[in-house]
Structures are given as C-alpha cells and as structure tokens.
Amino acid sequence: MNDLTFALRQFRKSPGFTLVAVLTLALGIGANTAIFSVVEGALLRPLPFPHAERLVRIYEALEQDGARSASLNLSDRTTARFREFGREIFEDVAGGTGGVAVVGLNAGSPARTVPAAHITWNFFDVLGFSPAQGRNFTAEEALAGAEDVAIISDDFWRNTLNSRRDVLGNRIVIDGAPRTIVGVMPKAFRHPYRADLWLPLALQPDNPATINNHYLYGVARLRLGFTAAKAEAAVKRMCATINRDDPNPANARGAYIAPLHESFVMDLRPKILVIVGAAVCALLIAAVNFAGLLLARVIDREGEFALRSALGASSARIVRQQLIHAVLLALVGTALGLLIASWITPTLFALSPEGTDATGSAMREFDYAARIDLPVFAFAAGVMALVGLGFGLLPAACASRTDLRAAISGTSRGVTLNRNARRMLGLFVVIELAIAAALLTASVTSTQYFRKLIDEPWGFETKDRVAFNVTVPDQFFPTPAAKQKALEDSLAQLRALPGIKSATVVSPSPMDASWTLMLFNAEGAPAPEPRGVYTAYSRVPVPGYFQSIGEPILQGRDFNASDAADAPLVCIVSRSIAKRFWPNESANAFAGAGSMEAGRGSRSSASLAT
C-alpha cells in the first residue's frame, strides 16, 4: 500500500510527465482495442448455435479430391442424395438460396421488395435454431400444394408490421400470393443471405431443369466423432458407391466440407489480419515511446535513487516501486484507451467492409456488430500488463543500479548528465528510433498490402458503373416472353436516362457467389471420364453486355438481336477454353452437350455505365 501511495504521489509531483505517458498509451491502446473489437466480432466470436463446432458448409466437388477450387454449391439432386445416403455421416443436411420477394401487407397495399431466402423445411432444425416467436417449418409445408407459410425477421416485424402482438397466424401477400406468418426470428438474425423473409423450398432432385443447377447453400450437422476432414473422406467413399450403382454424369464425385464458421471468414481473414499486423506495429511504437519516457524519468531522478539507496532502500524495493508506477500509468492509459475505443469503434466499423450490409461477410447475419465486450476487455487488460510490466521492467532495473558516487555528485539542477547516463540515454534513443522506423515500415507495408487486397481487380471495369439486382417473379411474369419483355422495357427506360452511356443485364450477377454450370463437349476433343462431358461456369447476358463492363471480345462478334430462341444456338467462350480446345485455330465451333435454367425464380443483375 505504501508503494501504491508513493506512485500516486509521483503522479501529482510530475503532472506533465504523467499526462504525456498516459496519452501515449491511450492512443496506442485505444486504436488497437477498436481494431480488436472488429476482429473479435468478425473472426473470433462463435456462432450462436448449439454445438456449432459440428456445423459444416458443404460444396459439391467436381473431382474426387474435393478441392475447393473445383467445388460448387449444391444442386437439388446432390442435397437429396447427401441427405439420403449420408445418414451415418450427417445428422441432417439442409439447403437454401437467396433472392428478393415482392411484399404487400394485403391485396390492395403498395408493394415493395425485401431480401428473402428460400430454405428447405429442416434448415433451422439443422442449425439448432428456433424463432423467437412461433415455430419452424414442417416437412409437410415444403410439399407442392401445401399451405403457403413464411417466417419473418425481427426487423420486418417491428418496422413493417409495427410489432403487432397478433402477428402469428396473420397473412401477408408475398409475390402475389397470400402467406401465413408462422414465426418471427430473434433480433438481428438474418441468415442466410441477409434475409427478412424465409420461405419453404421444395427440392426437385429428379427434375431435368434443375439436375445440374448448383444454386443451394448447403449446411449440415455432423454426427458425433466426425470432423470436417473425416466427413469429406466419408462422402468421397459414399459418392463412389452412388456412382457405381448409378453412373449418372450429374452425380457428385465428392465434396469440399469446411467448418461453418471457417467458411464465413476464410476469405475475410487475410484482409483483417493484415490490418491487425499494422495496428500491432503502432502499439509497439507507443509502448517503446512509453518505455523511453520512463527511462528518461529514471535518469532525471538518478540522484534521488542514489540517496534512497544510501539510506538503505533495497534494489528490490526500488524496482517494485517503479513497476507499480509503470503499471498504474498503463492502467490509467488503458482506461482512457477504452474510452477512446468506445468512441471510434462504431465509426471504424462503419467505414470497414464489415460495416455495410451490402459488402460485409456472412458473419453480419448473426448480430456481429463490433462492440466493447468481455473479450475486448481481456485484450485491453493483456495489453496493459504487457506494457506496464514488460516495458516498465528496463527503466525499473536501471533505477536499481544507480552509481551512488556519480549520482550524488550530479544532484544539483545545474549539473549535466554524467557520461554513463548520457551513454544509456543516447543508446536507448538510437534503439527506439531504429525500432520505431522498423515498425513504421512494417505498418506502412501492411497497410499497402491491405489496400492491394481490397483493390484487387474484379475482372471487369468497375469505374463509373452501378450494379443492382432486378427481380421478375413468376407470379407477375408467368412466361419467359413476359420476363424478357419486362427486362427489355426496363433497359430501354434506363438507356434513355440522361448521363447513362449504356445499360445491360446478365444472370447471374458477376458478383454473385452462385454459379450456373454448363455441360458441354467440344468438337474434336475426346469426352472426359468419368462424367463424359466437360463443365464450365456460364452466365446469360444481353447484347452489349461486354461493352458495358469494359471487356473487349478478342475474336468473333457479340450477341445481337437475331440470336433468338428460334435461331441457331451460339455462345461466347473464354480465352482459357479457346486455348485449351482450339490452341491453333479460331474457336468457331462449339457443340453444347446440355444446358440448364438460370436458377429458381428469375433474378438478374443489371448494371449501368455512367
């Protein structure tokens, strides 16, 4: 207690030194705590599901090794097969797809579009999650002709339905059809696809139009004793058995399986860790400056320490007092740093990709806002201990090894530092500058690398382009001709707007993670085994699409109005396909072995060049 009182008395005696030391630490700890709060929310916080470590994301693999680079979302057929034949591996398998829905509160109310997810009836059961009000879907509600039902988000209930208490059992009009509300999800939950509405999805595993349509986000719960790696190997054996009994080219050859939490952050982690590295460098610079201030203070009080030693103070006590002094400074700096972090964290989070609903990762769907909670406090406490004890130890040790005779002779204010003191202070300044320069270089390098990561090209021109989604629901546009006319009319109106150079549409969106898989064979190329066909990702654009996104056509021509459904079928291939199959000639022949629909519903992506 005497040492603590002595440290507080030193604060009062040297307020200028105390203020500078505290601010030095507060800025470094505050910035790092704010960044850690974002990291904790995006990377470290566990998923809000029971036994979340057994939840996995499933991708269908085109090859038996299950490599991520050759994997796809699940098809109806694969989801049903994995659920049927994988009972020894998975407790259950579910799937879902995202989109938007046109909602009206009743038949005569104004309609608006909201994010929606079509999910298999067991989706929330697999997650182990239940609505805050009401219930999950049942198996009967996913059958054709069943009563139309819906589950809504807490935001939709509060903002659109005014938090009405009798919400369960009420009906709203979704895509032109009335649906009964059977559940309200907990606050801030919007998984998957940031949905405000969840609608039951009936799988069609034997429908030729969907057999190769890989549009489903697949999630499963592993049985006890299985890890993601073991499950992947077991699925590979299961697929080999399925293909032996039913050698269908549409069957999966394997699966890429990742822990569910890992699947959400695997692409985000490198970007955030680069910024963490830069922040740690800044913290170390602050800590080195703090140690330098303490050492300068020790040298300034060298005579005092010499007198105390002469009067019988032990080296251990002097070290203890200096460490307590350093820890108290670190404690006050940490408290002020937490206050600074609480001010800047919301702004930092809002400026980051995680802060926007459009570009944030899937972790945003589970109330993963950055905030100062227990793990963040633990981080700040750890930093305080590191700085107070670790960086306060050297000055404390120096205080305990004072040269009595030299120090006593220099106690007068007019006497300059002795040779040893000058040498120690000069050496420390050089070391501090070297460390600061190295850390600053590392911080700048990390920041530049981060900018390179976030500025990585998309593969098409983005400057002066605006992208948005367009939905043409089946209820309002029941035929392909009606959908096509609606899109053409919309494009015509967009192109007529002032300041618009071009407008185009493509399905699916270039920024959409769901892919359309096309099966094909090239003339003159042998059919590959075991599928018997090649596979390629495909998108369906309108004429002028490549010009609008700034991608030139290297050979041949663009699509035109004469390439209609009743005309000879044509396509445009990538340079990699042309080099692989026709390396020494023009790719003017292409034999399609099959095709597929663009996906459930009719969701396209439009873009404008301004």
Side-chain angles (χ1 to χ4, degrees):
M1 182 60 67
N2 290 334
D3 292 337
L4 181 61
T5 303
F6 179 78
L8 294 175
R9 190 162 59 244
Q10 291 299 314
F11 284 6
R12 292 195 300 270
K13 288 177 61 177
S14 52
F17 167 81
T18 302
L19 180 62
V20 172
V22 167
L23 287 179
T24 298
L25 283 183
L27 293 175
I29 293 176
N32 274 265
T33 302
I35 290 175
F36 179 78
S37 65
V38 176
V39 174
E40 189 271 337
L43 298 184
L44 304 179
R45 206 176 299 169
L47 295 175
F49 305 126
H51 304 290
E53 72 281 357
R54 289 165 52 199
L55 291 173
V56 292
R57 173 79 184 268
I58 306 180
Y59 299 86
E60 178 178 345
L62 300 178
E63 307 296 339
Q64 290 184 350
D65 60 5
R68 183 191 177 198
S69 59
S71 61
L72 299 164
N73 284 335
L74 301 184
S75 65
D76 286 27
R77 181 186 183 89
T78 300
T79 304
R81 286 291 181 93
F82 281 11
R83 190 163 188 253
E84 178 183 359
F85 296 102
R87 298 187 185 277
E88 295 183 356
I89 309 169
F90 309 111
E91 289 186 0
D92 208 351
V93 179
T97 185
V100 294
V102 180
V103 177
L105 299 184
N106 51 60
S109 65
R112 65 187 184 94
T113 58
V114 298
H118 292 259
I119 57 175
T120 55
W121 68 270
N122 62 334
F123 187 90
F124 293 131
D125 293 332
V126 169
L127 295 180
F129 206 72
S130 299
Q133 302 180 51
R135 59 172 176 83
N136 289 329
F137 297 131
T138 64
E140 292 74 18
E141 288 168 343
L143 300 176
E147 180 185 6
D148 287 334
V149 293
I151 295 175
I152 63 175
S153 70
D154 181 84
D155 285 343
F156 187 89
W157 174 56
R158 294 179 185 277
N159 300 331
T160 303
L161 302 181
N162 299 318
S163 303
R164 55 185 303 175
R165 297 183 179 275
D166 61 343
V167 61
L168 299 179
N170 271 274
R171 295 171 74 81
I172 56 175
V173 179
I174 301 177
D175 290 338
R179 289 181 178 263
T180 302
I181 299 173
V182 297
V184 180
M185 298 306 290
K187 186 177 181 180
F189 182 88
R190 298 180 62 191
H191 184 70
Y193 300 107
R194 298 179 176 82
D196 275 323
L197 295 173
W198 292 267
L199 310 174
L201 170 68
L203 299 181
Q204 302 177 33
D206 299 318
N207 187 340
T210 64
I211 199 168
N212 288 305
N213 194 354
H214 296 265
Y215 70 103
L216 285 174
Y217 154 61
V219 61
R221 182 173 288 275
L222 297 176
R223 291 198 176 276
L224 285 174
F226 275 93
T227 63
K230 289 182 179 179
E232 195 171 292
V235 168
K236 179 180 177 180
R237 295 190 295 270
M238 178 189 74
C239 290
T241 302
I242 293 174
N243 283 282
R244 182 192 62 201
D245 299 336
D246 178 22
N248 190 317
N251 290 340
R253 293 306 189 265
Y256 171 72
I257 299 178
L260 189 62
H261 185 278
E262 177 68 16
S263 72
F264 295 150
V265 303
M266 62 176 63
D267 294 325
L268 179 67
R269 181 182 287 111
K271 299 178 175 64
I272 289 186
L273 292 184
V274 168
I275 285 298
V276 170
V280 168
C281 290
L283 175 62
L284 290 176
I285 292 173
V288 170
N289 287 333
F290 175 71
L293 289 171
L294 292 181
L295 184 58
R297 183 65 174 163
V298 166
I299 294 175
D300 185 56
R301 297 171 58 198
E302 191 175 24
E304 175 192 336
F305 292 130
L307 287 174
R308 292 177 58 198
S309 295
L311 294 174
S314 66
S315 297
R317 174 141 191 206
I318 292 176
V319 169
R320 185 172 67 246
Q321 287 180 339
Q322 289 304 106
L323 283 179
I324 290 176
H325 185 233
V327 170
L328 278 180
L329 285 173
L331 179 61
V332 176
T334 301
L336 182 57
L338 285 173
L339 182 60
I340 293 173
S342 67
W343 291 339
I344 67 175
T345 294
T347 302
L348 179 66
F349 186 72
L351 293 175
S352 72
E354 283 298 287
T356 60
D357 194 54
T359 59
S361 71
M363 302 302 289
R364 292 258 308 156
E365 301 169 357
F366 307 105
D367 187 23
Y368 272 68
R371 53 181 176 264
I372 309 297
D373 52 14
L374 184 59
V376 178
F377 273 106
F379 169 81
V383 171
M384 181 204 70
L386 171 66
V387 173
L389 295 176
F391 287 85
L393 188 59
L394 176 61
C398 291
S400 68
R401 294 199 299 266
T402 304
D403 184 345
L404 301 182
R405 185 169 53 188
I408 292 175
S409 67
T411 53
S412 173
R413 289 183 179 272
V415 177
T416 61
L417 296 176
N418 62 50
R419 179 181 300 176
N420 289 335
R422 289 197 304 270
R423 183 181 302 165
M424 179 181 296
L425 188 57
L427 179 62
F428 191 83
V429 169
V430 171
I431 294 175
E432 182 180 5
L433 288 176
I435 294 175
L439 293 175
L440 184 60
T441 302
S443 179
V444 171
T445 302
S446 298
T447 304
Q448 289 177 340
Y449 180 64
F450 176 76
R451 290 187 61 185
K452 183 179 178 181
L453 284 175
I454 63 175
D455 291 339
E456 187 175 355
W458 287 85
F460 52 87
E461 183 60 59
T462 58
K463 184 179 180 181
D464 297 329
R465 266 74 173 178
V466 177
F468 52 93
N469 291 317
V470 177
T471 302
V472 280
D474 292 341
Q475 287 80 359
F476 304 135
F477 307 95
T479 66
K483 292 180 173 63
Q484 181 174 344
K485 185 177 186 307
L487 292 174
E488 289 176 349
D489 291 345
S490 298
L491 282 177
Q493 294 179 36
L494 289 172
R495 289 165 179 164
L497 293 175
I500 303 299
K501 293 182 179 179
S502 66
T504 189
V505 65
V506 63
S507 178
S509 165
M511 294 173 288
D512 199 330
S514 62
W515 294 90
T516 300
L517 188 68
M518 179 71 71
L519 306 181
F520 71 93
N521 279 328
E523 289 184 355
E529 296 296 336
R531 284 183 177 267
V533 290
Y534 293 97
T535 57
Y537 299 127
S538 67
R539 301 192 186 278
V540 182
V542 299
Y545 167 74
F546 296 102
Q547 180 181 4
S548 293
I549 65 170
E551 285 298 307
I553 296 177
L554 302 180
Q555 296 182 30
R557 64 172 177 85
D558 196 354
F559 298 122
N560 56 46
S562 63
D563 296 320
D566 54 353
L569 299 179
V570 295
C571 69
I572 296 173
V573 300
S574 67
R575 180 167 54 182
S576 59
I577 287 183
K579 282 187 174 181
R580 178 174 181 180
F581 294 106
W582 305 281
N584 300 316
E585 58 183 321
S586 176
N588 55 5
F590 186 90
S595 61
M596 55 181 285
E597 298 298 323
R600 294 298 179 90
S602 299
R603 185 184 182 189
S604 303
S605 172
S607 64
L608 300 178
T610 59

